[in-house]
Amino acid sequence: MSSSRLGLSLAACLLNVSEARRKYVVENIAKAALLQENGQKYPKVSVLNIFSDQDYNRSVITIAASVDTLGHSVLAACLEAFQSIDMAVQEGIHPCLGAVDLIPIYPLSGVGVEECGAVARKIETDLFSQSEAALDRIGLPLESFTARRNGLECEFLADS
Protein backbone atom coordinates (compact mmCIF):
# COMPACT_ATOMS: atom_id res chain seq x y z
CA MET A 1 0.00 0.00 0.00
CA SER A 2 1.44 3.41 -0.95
CA SER A 3 2.17 6.02 1.70
CA SER A 4 -0.20 8.50 0.04
CA ARG A 5 -3.07 6.02 0.41
CA LEU A 6 -2.16 5.79 4.10
CA GLY A 7 -2.46 9.57 4.39
CA LEU A 8 1.26 10.21 4.90
CA SER A 9 2.87 13.28 3.38
CA LEU A 10 6.50 12.33 2.90
CA ALA A 11 9.48 14.41 1.80
CA ALA A 12 13.23 13.90 1.74
CA CYS A 13 16.32 16.02 2.24
CA LEU A 14 19.67 15.20 0.66
CA LEU A 15 21.75 17.07 3.22
CA ASN A 16 25.24 17.87 1.87
CA VAL A 17 27.88 18.27 4.57
CA SER A 18 31.59 19.04 4.24
CA GLU A 19 32.90 15.96 6.02
CA ALA A 20 33.56 12.36 4.97
CA ARG A 21 36.89 11.36 6.43
CA ARG A 22 35.76 11.33 10.05
CA LYS A 23 33.01 8.73 9.93
CA TYR A 24 31.92 9.34 13.54
CA VAL A 25 31.22 13.03 12.74
CA VAL A 26 29.00 12.10 9.79
CA GLU A 27 27.23 9.45 11.87
CA ASN A 28 26.62 11.98 14.68
CA ILE A 29 25.11 14.42 12.17
CA ALA A 30 22.81 11.66 10.88
CA LYS A 31 21.95 10.64 14.44
CA ALA A 32 21.03 14.26 15.26
CA ALA A 33 18.43 14.11 12.48
CA LEU A 34 16.77 11.17 14.20
CA LEU A 35 16.59 12.46 17.78
CA GLN A 36 14.47 15.16 19.37
CA GLU A 37 15.98 17.51 21.98
CA ASN A 38 14.72 15.20 24.74
CA GLY A 39 16.66 12.27 23.24
CA GLN A 40 13.56 10.46 21.99
CA LYS A 41 13.45 9.34 18.36
CA TYR A 42 11.41 11.50 16.02
CA PRO A 43 8.40 9.55 14.82
CA LYS A 44 8.32 8.93 11.07
CA VAL A 45 11.96 10.00 10.43
CA SER A 46 14.54 7.75 8.77
CA VAL A 47 18.06 8.19 7.52
CA LEU A 48 17.84 6.24 4.28
CA ASN A 49 21.43 6.53 3.12
CA ILE A 50 24.79 8.10 3.84
CA PHE A 51 27.11 8.53 0.88
CA SER A 52 30.62 9.73 1.70
CA ASP A 53 33.37 10.61 -0.76
CA GLN A 54 36.82 10.59 0.85
CA ASP A 55 38.51 12.63 -1.91
CA TYR A 56 35.84 15.32 -1.87
CA ASN A 57 35.59 15.09 1.94
CA ARG A 58 31.87 15.49 1.53
CA SER A 59 28.86 13.40 2.53
CA VAL A 60 25.24 13.35 1.47
CA ILE A 61 22.83 12.21 4.18
CA THR A 62 19.39 11.24 2.87
CA ILE A 63 16.71 11.99 5.47
CA ALA A 64 13.08 11.03 4.84
CA ALA A 65 10.23 12.10 7.08
CA SER A 66 6.69 13.32 7.26
CA VAL A 67 6.58 16.81 5.85
CA ASP A 68 5.58 18.11 9.31
CA THR A 69 8.70 16.68 10.96
CA LEU A 70 11.37 16.99 8.28
CA GLY A 71 12.27 20.60 9.03
CA HIS A 72 12.99 19.93 12.72
CA SER A 73 15.03 16.87 11.83
CA VAL A 74 17.12 18.64 9.19
CA LEU A 75 17.66 21.66 11.45
CA ALA A 76 19.04 19.41 14.20
CA ALA A 77 21.42 17.78 11.72
CA CYS A 78 22.58 21.18 10.44
CA LEU A 79 23.27 22.46 13.94
CA GLU A 80 25.28 19.33 14.71
CA ALA A 81 27.27 19.82 11.49
CA PHE A 82 28.00 23.46 12.38
CA GLN A 83 29.32 22.36 15.78
CA SER A 84 31.32 19.38 14.49
CA ILE A 85 32.94 20.58 11.27
CA ASP A 86 35.74 23.13 11.48
CA MET A 87 35.97 24.76 8.08
CA ALA A 88 39.36 26.27 8.96
CA VAL A 89 40.90 22.80 8.70
CA GLN A 90 38.52 21.14 6.22
CA GLU A 91 40.26 19.87 3.08
CA GLY A 92 38.91 18.16 0.01
CA ILE A 93 38.97 18.46 -3.78
CA HIS A 94 35.33 19.61 -3.88
CA PRO A 95 34.84 23.33 -3.28
CA CYS A 96 32.57 23.92 -0.33
CA LEU A 97 30.71 26.92 1.00
CA GLY A 98 30.46 25.82 4.60
CA ALA A 99 29.89 22.94 6.99
CA VAL A 100 26.52 22.46 5.30
CA ASP A 101 26.59 23.23 1.60
CA LEU A 102 23.17 22.28 0.36
CA ILE A 103 19.79 21.45 1.90
CA PRO A 104 17.51 20.36 -0.95
CA ILE A 105 14.00 19.22 -0.01
CA TYR A 106 12.20 16.84 -2.39
CA PRO A 107 8.60 15.59 -2.41
CA LEU A 108 8.20 11.83 -2.06
CA SER A 109 4.52 11.07 -1.57
CA GLY A 110 1.35 13.00 -0.84
CA VAL A 111 3.18 16.34 -0.86
CA GLY A 112 4.01 18.86 -3.57
CA VAL A 113 6.86 21.18 -4.38
CA GLU A 114 5.04 24.05 -2.65
CA GLU A 115 4.99 22.23 0.70
CA CYS A 116 8.66 21.33 0.29
CA GLY A 117 9.43 25.00 -0.38
CA ALA A 118 7.62 25.91 2.83
CA VAL A 119 9.75 23.40 4.75
CA ALA A 120 12.91 24.85 3.19
CA ARG A 121 11.89 28.42 4.10
CA LYS A 122 11.16 27.33 7.68
CA ILE A 123 14.61 25.73 7.92
CA GLU A 124 16.13 28.99 6.64
CA THR A 125 14.27 31.03 9.24
CA ASP A 126 15.22 28.65 12.04
CA LEU A 127 18.88 28.60 10.98
CA PHE A 128 19.01 32.37 11.20
CA SER A 129 17.20 32.57 14.53
CA GLN A 130 18.82 29.61 16.31
CA SER A 131 22.39 29.67 15.11
CA GLU A 132 23.76 33.16 14.50
CA ALA A 133 27.07 32.05 16.00
CA ALA A 134 27.17 29.08 13.64
CA LEU A 135 26.35 31.31 10.67
CA ASP A 136 29.13 33.72 11.72
CA ARG A 137 31.48 30.73 11.77
CA ILE A 138 30.48 29.85 8.20
CA GLY A 139 31.18 33.42 7.10
CA LEU A 140 29.06 33.27 3.95
CA PRO A 141 25.51 34.29 3.08
CA LEU A 142 22.83 31.65 2.78
CA GLU A 143 21.24 31.27 -0.62
CA SER A 144 17.80 29.94 -1.39
CA PHE A 145 17.20 28.12 -4.65
CA THR A 146 13.51 27.90 -5.32
CA ALA A 147 12.02 25.74 -8.06
CA ARG A 148 9.89 27.69 -10.49
CA ARG A 149 8.00 26.52 -13.54
CA ASN A 150 10.34 28.53 -15.79
CA GLY A 151 13.65 27.45 -14.29
CA LEU A 152 15.59 28.08 -11.14
CA GLU A 153 15.48 31.27 -9.11
CA CYS A 154 18.17 32.18 -6.62
CA GLU A 155 17.70 34.68 -3.82
CA PHE A 156 20.22 35.70 -1.22
CA LEU A 157 18.54 35.27 2.15
CA ALA A 158 20.61 38.01 3.74
CA ASP A 159 18.92 40.42 1.31
CA SER A 160 15.37 39.21 1.97
Short mmCIF file of all heavy atoms in Angstrom, two decimals, residues 126-160:
data_model
loop_
_atom_site.label_atom_id
_atom_site.label_comp_id
_atom_site.label_asym_id
_atom_site.label_seq_id
_atom_site.Cartn_x
_atom_site.Cartn_y
_atom_site.Cartn_z
N ASP A 126 14.71 29.23 10.79
CA ASP A 126 15.22 28.65 12.04
C ASP A 126 16.74 28.70 12.11
O ASP A 126 17.30 28.93 13.18
CB ASP A 126 14.73 27.21 12.20
CG ASP A 126 13.24 27.14 12.48
OD1 ASP A 126 12.63 28.18 12.80
OD2 ASP A 126 12.67 26.04 12.36
N LEU A 127 17.42 28.50 10.97
CA LEU A 127 18.88 28.60 10.98
C LEU A 127 19.33 30.00 11.37
O LEU A 127 20.27 30.16 12.15
CB LEU A 127 19.46 28.22 9.62
CG LEU A 127 19.56 26.74 9.30
CD1 LEU A 127 20.01 26.52 7.87
CD2 LEU A 127 20.50 26.04 10.27
N PHE A 128 18.65 31.00 10.85
CA PHE A 128 19.01 32.37 11.20
C PHE A 128 18.73 32.66 12.67
O PHE A 128 19.54 33.25 13.36
CB PHE A 128 18.26 33.38 10.33
CG PHE A 128 18.92 33.66 9.03
CD1 PHE A 128 18.29 33.37 7.85
CD2 PHE A 128 20.18 34.22 8.98
CE1 PHE A 128 18.90 33.62 6.63
CE2 PHE A 128 20.81 34.48 7.78
CZ PHE A 128 20.16 34.18 6.59
N SER A 129 17.58 32.22 13.16
CA SER A 129 17.20 32.57 14.53
C SER A 129 17.92 31.74 15.59
O SER A 129 18.19 32.24 16.67
CB SER A 129 15.68 32.44 14.71
OG SER A 129 15.29 31.09 14.61
N GLN A 130 18.25 30.49 15.29
CA GLN A 130 18.82 29.61 16.31
C GLN A 130 20.33 29.50 16.26
O GLN A 130 20.93 28.99 17.20
CB GLN A 130 18.23 28.20 16.19
CG GLN A 130 16.77 28.15 16.55
CD GLN A 130 16.28 26.72 16.61
OE1 GLN A 130 17.04 25.79 16.77
NE2 GLN A 130 14.97 26.56 16.48
N SER A 131 20.96 29.94 15.19
CA SER A 131 22.39 29.67 15.11
C SER A 131 23.18 30.83 14.52
O SER A 131 24.00 30.63 13.64
CB SER A 131 22.64 28.41 14.31
OG SER A 131 22.39 28.65 12.95
N GLU A 132 22.97 32.03 15.01
CA GLU A 132 23.76 33.16 14.50
C GLU A 132 25.24 32.92 14.66
O GLU A 132 26.03 33.26 13.79
CB GLU A 132 23.34 34.46 15.18
CG GLU A 132 22.12 35.08 14.54
CD GLU A 132 21.89 36.49 15.04
OE1 GLU A 132 22.82 37.31 14.98
OE2 GLU A 132 20.76 36.75 15.48
N ALA A 133 25.65 32.33 15.78
CA ALA A 133 27.07 32.05 16.00
C ALA A 133 27.58 31.07 14.95
O ALA A 133 28.68 31.22 14.42
CB ALA A 133 27.30 31.49 17.40
N ALA A 134 26.77 30.06 14.65
CA ALA A 134 27.17 29.08 13.64
C ALA A 134 27.25 29.75 12.27
O ALA A 134 28.17 29.48 11.50
CB ALA A 134 26.19 27.92 13.61
N LEU A 135 26.32 30.62 11.96
CA LEU A 135 26.35 31.31 10.67
C LEU A 135 27.56 32.24 10.59
O LEU A 135 28.18 32.36 9.54
CB LEU A 135 25.06 32.09 10.44
CG LEU A 135 23.82 31.22 10.24
CD1 LEU A 135 22.57 32.09 10.15
CD2 LEU A 135 23.95 30.36 9.01
N ASP A 136 27.92 32.89 11.69
CA ASP A 136 29.13 33.72 11.72
C ASP A 136 30.35 32.86 11.43
O ASP A 136 31.27 33.28 10.75
CB ASP A 136 29.28 34.42 13.07
CG ASP A 136 28.28 35.54 13.25
OD1 ASP A 136 27.70 36.00 12.24
OD2 ASP A 136 28.08 35.96 14.40
N ARG A 137 30.36 31.64 11.97
CA ARG A 137 31.48 30.73 11.77
C ARG A 137 31.60 30.33 10.30
O ARG A 137 32.69 30.17 9.78
CB ARG A 137 31.28 29.49 12.64
CG ARG A 137 32.42 28.53 12.61
CD ARG A 137 32.17 27.46 13.65
NE ARG A 137 33.08 26.37 13.43
CZ ARG A 137 32.88 25.16 13.88
NH1 ARG A 137 31.82 24.87 14.57
NH2 ARG A 137 33.75 24.22 13.64
N ILE A 138 30.46 30.19 9.62
CA ILE A 138 30.48 29.85 8.20
C ILE A 138 31.06 31.01 7.40
O ILE A 138 31.85 30.82 6.50
CB ILE A 138 29.06 29.53 7.68
CG1 ILE A 138 28.52 28.30 8.37
CG2 ILE A 138 29.05 29.34 6.18
CD1 ILE A 138 27.05 28.08 8.13
N GLY A 139 30.64 32.24 7.74
CA GLY A 139 31.18 33.42 7.10
C GLY A 139 30.67 33.70 5.70
O GLY A 139 31.24 34.50 5.00
N LEU A 140 29.61 33.04 5.28
CA LEU A 140 29.06 33.27 3.95
C LEU A 140 27.55 33.42 4.03
O LEU A 140 26.91 32.89 4.92
CB LEU A 140 29.37 32.08 3.03
CG LEU A 140 30.83 31.88 2.67
CD1 LEU A 140 31.01 30.55 1.96
CD2 LEU A 140 31.33 33.01 1.80
N PRO A 141 26.97 34.16 3.08
CA PRO A 141 25.51 34.29 3.08
C PRO A 141 24.84 32.98 2.70
O PRO A 141 25.40 32.19 1.96
CB PRO A 141 25.25 35.37 2.02
CG PRO A 141 26.42 35.26 1.09
CD PRO A 141 27.60 34.86 1.96
N LEU A 142 23.64 32.78 3.22
CA LEU A 142 22.83 31.65 2.78
C LEU A 142 22.14 32.03 1.49
O LEU A 142 21.76 33.17 1.28
CB LEU A 142 21.77 31.32 3.83
CG LEU A 142 22.24 30.71 5.13
CD1 LEU A 142 21.06 30.46 6.04
CD2 LEU A 142 22.98 29.42 4.88
N GLU A 143 21.97 31.05 0.61
CA GLU A 143 21.24 31.27 -0.62
C GLU A 143 20.06 30.32 -0.65
O GLU A 143 20.13 29.21 -0.15
CB GLU A 143 22.13 30.99 -1.83
CG GLU A 143 23.30 31.92 -1.95
CD GLU A 143 24.16 31.57 -3.14
OE1 GLU A 143 23.61 31.17 -4.18
OE2 GLU A 143 25.37 31.69 -3.01
N SER A 144 18.98 30.78 -1.23
CA SER A 144 17.80 29.94 -1.39
C SER A 144 17.56 29.72 -2.87
O SER A 144 17.44 30.67 -3.64
CB SER A 144 16.58 30.63 -0.77
OG SER A 144 15.42 29.89 -1.03
N PHE A 145 17.52 28.46 -3.28
CA PHE A 145 17.20 28.12 -4.65
C PHE A 145 15.78 27.58 -4.65
O PHE A 145 15.50 26.58 -4.02
CB PHE A 145 18.16 27.06 -5.19
CG PHE A 145 19.56 27.56 -5.30
CD1 PHE A 145 20.46 27.38 -4.27
CD2 PHE A 145 19.97 28.24 -6.43
CE1 PHE A 145 21.76 27.85 -4.36
CE2 PHE A 145 21.27 28.71 -6.54
CZ PHE A 145 22.16 28.51 -5.50
N THR A 146 14.91 28.26 -5.32
CA THR A 146 13.51 27.90 -5.32
C THR A 146 13.09 27.42 -6.70
O THR A 146 13.35 28.09 -7.70
CB THR A 146 12.65 29.14 -4.94
OG1 THR A 146 13.15 29.67 -3.72
CG2 THR A 146 11.19 28.77 -4.78
N ALA A 147 12.48 26.26 -6.77
CA ALA A 147 12.02 25.74 -8.06
C ALA A 147 10.87 26.61 -8.58
O ALA A 147 9.98 26.98 -7.84
CB ALA A 147 11.55 24.30 -7.89
N ARG A 148 10.94 26.94 -9.81
CA ARG A 148 9.89 27.69 -10.49
C ARG A 148 9.55 26.94 -11.78
O ARG A 148 10.36 26.18 -12.31
CB ARG A 148 10.36 29.10 -10.85
CG ARG A 148 10.76 29.93 -9.65
CD ARG A 148 9.52 30.45 -8.95
NE ARG A 148 9.94 31.38 -7.92
CZ ARG A 148 9.36 31.47 -6.75
NH1 ARG A 148 8.35 30.71 -6.44
NH2 ARG A 148 9.78 32.34 -5.87
N ARG A 149 8.40 27.19 -12.30
CA ARG A 149 8.00 26.52 -13.54
C ARG A 149 8.93 26.87 -14.69
O ARG A 149 9.16 26.09 -15.58
CB ARG A 149 6.57 26.88 -13.90
CG ARG A 149 5.58 26.24 -12.99
CD ARG A 149 4.18 26.49 -13.42
NE ARG A 149 3.32 25.88 -12.40
CZ ARG A 149 2.04 25.99 -12.38
NH1 ARG A 149 1.41 26.68 -13.30
NH2 ARG A 149 1.34 25.41 -11.44
N ASN A 150 9.49 28.08 -14.69
CA ASN A 150 10.34 28.53 -15.79
C ASN A 150 11.82 28.45 -15.46
O ASN A 150 12.61 29.21 -15.98
CB ASN A 150 9.98 29.97 -16.17
CG ASN A 150 8.57 30.07 -16.70
OD1 ASN A 150 8.09 29.13 -17.31
ND2 ASN A 150 7.91 31.17 -16.44
N GLY A 151 12.22 27.58 -14.58
CA GLY A 151 13.65 27.45 -14.29
C GLY A 151 13.93 27.54 -12.82
O GLY A 151 13.11 27.21 -11.99
N LEU A 152 15.11 28.04 -12.51
CA LEU A 152 15.59 28.08 -11.14
C LEU A 152 15.82 29.53 -10.74
O LEU A 152 16.46 30.28 -11.47
CB LEU A 152 16.89 27.29 -11.05
CG LEU A 152 17.43 26.97 -9.69
CD1 LEU A 152 16.48 26.04 -8.93
CD2 LEU A 152 18.78 26.27 -9.84
N GLU A 153 15.31 29.90 -9.61
CA GLU A 153 15.48 31.27 -9.11
C GLU A 153 16.36 31.20 -7.87
O GLU A 153 16.20 30.33 -7.03
CB GLU A 153 14.12 31.85 -8.74
CG GLU A 153 14.19 33.23 -8.12
CD GLU A 153 12.83 33.71 -7.71
OE1 GLU A 153 11.99 33.92 -8.61
OE2 GLU A 153 12.61 33.87 -6.51
N CYS A 154 17.28 32.13 -7.77
CA CYS A 154 18.17 32.18 -6.62
C CYS A 154 17.95 33.51 -5.91
O CYS A 154 17.90 34.56 -6.54
CB CYS A 154 19.62 32.07 -7.08
SG CYS A 154 20.82 32.29 -5.76
N GLU A 155 17.81 33.46 -4.60
CA GLU A 155 17.70 34.68 -3.82
C GLU A 155 18.66 34.59 -2.66
O GLU A 155 18.86 33.52 -2.08
CB GLU A 155 16.28 34.91 -3.32
CG GLU A 155 15.78 33.84 -2.37
CD GLU A 155 14.34 34.01 -2.00
OE1 GLU A 155 13.50 34.16 -2.90
OE2 GLU A 155 14.05 33.98 -0.80
N PHE A 156 19.34 35.68 -2.36
CA PHE A 156 20.22 35.70 -1.22
C PHE A 156 19.39 36.02 0.00
O PHE A 156 18.73 37.05 0.07
CB PHE A 156 21.33 36.74 -1.40
CG PHE A 156 22.35 36.32 -2.41
CD1 PHE A 156 22.21 36.63 -3.75
CD2 PHE A 156 23.44 35.56 -2.01
CE1 PHE A 156 23.13 36.22 -4.68
CE2 PHE A 156 24.39 35.15 -2.94
CZ PHE A 156 24.23 35.48 -4.26
N LEU A 157 19.40 35.12 0.97
CA LEU A 157 18.54 35.27 2.15
C LEU A 157 18.92 36.48 2.97
O LEU A 157 18.08 37.09 3.60
CB LEU A 157 18.59 34.01 3.00
CG LEU A 157 18.05 32.78 2.30
CD1 LEU A 157 18.16 31.58 3.22
CD2 LEU A 157 16.62 32.98 1.89
N ALA A 158 20.19 36.84 2.97
CA ALA A 158 20.61 38.01 3.74
C ALA A 158 19.95 39.28 3.20
O ALA A 158 19.78 40.25 3.93
CB ALA A 158 22.13 38.15 3.69
N ASP A 159 19.56 39.26 1.93
CA ASP A 159 18.92 40.42 1.31
C ASP A 159 17.40 40.41 1.46
O ASP A 159 16.75 41.37 1.14
CB ASP A 159 19.25 40.48 -0.18
CG ASP A 159 20.74 40.66 -0.43
OD1 ASP A 159 21.44 41.15 0.49
OD2 ASP A 159 21.19 40.29 -1.51
N SER A 160 16.83 39.29 1.92
CA SER A 160 15.37 39.21 1.97
C SER A 160 14.82 39.56 3.32
O SER A 160 15.50 39.83 4.26
CB SER A 160 14.89 37.82 1.55
OG SER A 160 15.52 36.82 2.29
#
